[in-house]
Every structure is written in structure tokens, then in C-alpha cells.
């Protein structure tokens, strides 16, 4: 099945009549880092999108890198119980360690900053670039993929996504 981030991007491209091609069964969009960037963009567009929150949390990059997987399940349960989005629940979540709370605060501050940029009309290209920088996507790739050639290829795929975004004014 296709992920919500794939469908979101495809719907936006169609709505704005921007031509696109899907090659290799959309494997470009299945790359963890691309899926993560798309998740961040969806979250910036609407912080109440639980699928985007799950994609971003599951990526496990800065500042959520050291959060236990059980935190996601606890957030999911609490969100359902309180009829709130997972993002809303997460930013109010209380964890036992100070460093975990700092991670939640940093995550929330970063998303808030990106939302403000989007609301000011910052281009998608710049938003993607900021996501890559703020959430340390290149560092993430270097830590996750020890093969230098694969690192280079994955970093290049991010640059392709930024390049694709520069072809259009705004997606949101």
C-alpha cells in the first residue's frame, strides 16, 4: 500500500497541475530520509497529521534519536484516550529523563519555527533545506549507512528533492 506522504505529495502535484513521473514503483519516496522529509513537510502543513508524526518519530533522527520505541506507542494510546493528535500529545508528554524532555521541547520548537516560515510564505525548497539542516538529515545518513557511496547517493537524493521543489513556487 502507498504511504500517506506519497499520496499527499502526489495529490498536491495533481492539484497544482505540476507534471511528475513515478519510477521504480516510487522507490525514491520509500527511502527513509525522503519519507522523513515528506513527513516533516506534512507535519509543518498540519501538526495534527498523525501519519506524518509517526513517519517523523520512526525516522529516529535528531532530536528524537534516543527516544524509546515504546514512547510512540504510549503517545498513540494517550492521544486516542484524550482525542488529541499524536503531536499535541507528544509535546505535552512527560518523560522521566531531563534529556528526553529537552528532546521534546527542541522538536516542538523546530516544528513551530518551520510552521512560522511556511505561514510567512517561505518556498518549499527553503523549507526542505531547513528541515535537512535543523533535523540533521546528512548526519543521520552518515550514521545509518556506513558505505560512503550509499551515503553520497542518499544525500544526492535529498538534493534531488530540493531541486524538484525549486521547480514550483509552493506546494502548500
Amino acid at each position: 500500500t502507498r504511504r500517506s506522504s506519497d499520496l499527499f505529495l502526489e495529490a498536491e502535484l495533481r492539484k497544482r497541475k505540476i507534471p511528475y513521473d513515478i519510477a521504480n514503483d516510487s522507490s525514491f519516496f520509500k527511502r527513509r530520509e525522503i519519507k522523513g522529509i515528506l513527513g516533516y513537510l506534512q507535519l509543518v502543513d498540519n501538526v495534527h497529521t498523525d501519519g506524518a508524526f509517526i513517519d517523523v518519530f520512526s525516522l529516529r533522527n535528531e532530536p528524537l534519536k534516543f527516544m524509546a520505541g515504546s514512547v510512540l506507542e504510549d503517545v498513540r494510546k494517550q492521544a486516542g484516550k484524550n482525542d488529541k493528535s499524536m503531536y499535541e500529545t507528544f509535546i505535552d508528554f512527560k518523560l522521566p529523563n531531563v534529556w528526553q524532555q529537552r528532546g521534546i521541547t527542541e522538536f516542538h520548537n523546530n516544528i513551530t519555527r518551520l510552521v512560522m516560515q511556511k505561514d510567512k510564505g517561505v518556498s518549499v525548497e527553503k523549507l526542505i533545506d531547513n528541515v535537512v539542516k535543523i533535523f540533521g538529515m546528512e548526519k543521520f545518513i552518515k550514521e545509518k549507512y556506513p558505505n560512503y557511496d550509499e551515503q553520497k547517493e542518499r544525500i544526492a537524493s535529498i538534493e534531488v528533492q530540493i531541486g524538484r521543489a525549486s521547480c514550483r513556487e509552493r506546494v502548500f
Side-chain angles (χ1 to χ4, degrees):
T1 64
R2 295 185 54 201
R3 299 286 303 181
S4 61
S5 56
D6 294 358
L7 297 172
F8 168 77
L9 182 59
E10 192 171 347
E12 287 298 319
L13 292 172
R14 263 198 224 120
K15 183 167 83 178
R16 300 183 190 290
K17 297 182 171 82
I18 298 169
Y20 64 94
D21 291 315
I22 297 177
N24 299 329
D25 192 28
S26 70
S27 61
F28 174 80
F29 295 107
K30 292 179 183 174
R31 288 181 174 237
R32 286 182 73 192
E33 60 278 5
I34 299 303
K35 192 165 110 179
I37 291 169
L38 291 173
Y40 281 114
L41 291 175
Q42 276 188 283
L43 209 52
V44 166
D45 188 46
N46 180 356
V47 295
H48 304 292
T49 309
D50 287 345
F53 178 81
I54 291 168
D55 285 349
V56 165
F57 190 94
S58 299
L59 186 63
R60 296 307 240 289
N61 63 322
E62 298 293 339
L64 307 177
K65 185 176 179 177
F66 298 109
M67 295 277 175
S70 60
V71 171
L72 181 61
E73 190 53 36
D74 293 344
V75 167
R76 183 188 328 252
K77 287 176 187 172
Q78 192 70 30
K81 187 171 140 183
N82 294 330
D83 197 30
K84 288 184 166 184
S85 73
M86 291 177 74
Y87 177 81
E88 286 176 296
T89 302
F90 184 66
I91 62 172
D92 293 332
F93 215 64
K94 301 298 178 219
L95 293 170
N97 298 314
V98 172
W99 58 268
Q100 289 174 312
Q101 287 305 134
R102 266 191 249 129
I104 291 172
T105 301
E106 183 181 343
F107 178 75
H108 174 61
N109 290 344
N110 289 342
I111 294 296
T112 300
R113 207 166 57 190
L114 290 165
V115 168
M116 289 180 0
Q117 291 175 7
K118 179 200 74 137
D119 291 346
K120 288 181 180 177
V122 169
S123 70
V124 174
E125 177 183 18
K126 186 64 179 163
L127 281 173
I128 293 171
D129 191 47
N130 289 342
V131 165
V132 169
K133 289 175 184 166
I134 290 169
F135 293 104
M137 297 302 287
E138 287 189 22
K139 181 181 175 190
F140 167 80
I141 289 170
K142 289 176 181 175
E143 290 173 352
K144 293 288 178 191
Y145 306 98
N147 179 291
Y148 176 74
D149 289 335
E150 186 172 8
Q151 289 174 6
K152 238 169 80 172
E153 181 186 335
R154 288 179 177 273
I155 289 169
S157 71
I158 291 173
E159 292 166 1
V160 165
Q161 181 155 357
I162 293 170
R164 285 180 178 179
S166 69
C167 294
R168 57 197 177 274
E169 215 164 282
R170 287 184 51 82
V171 167
F172 298 109

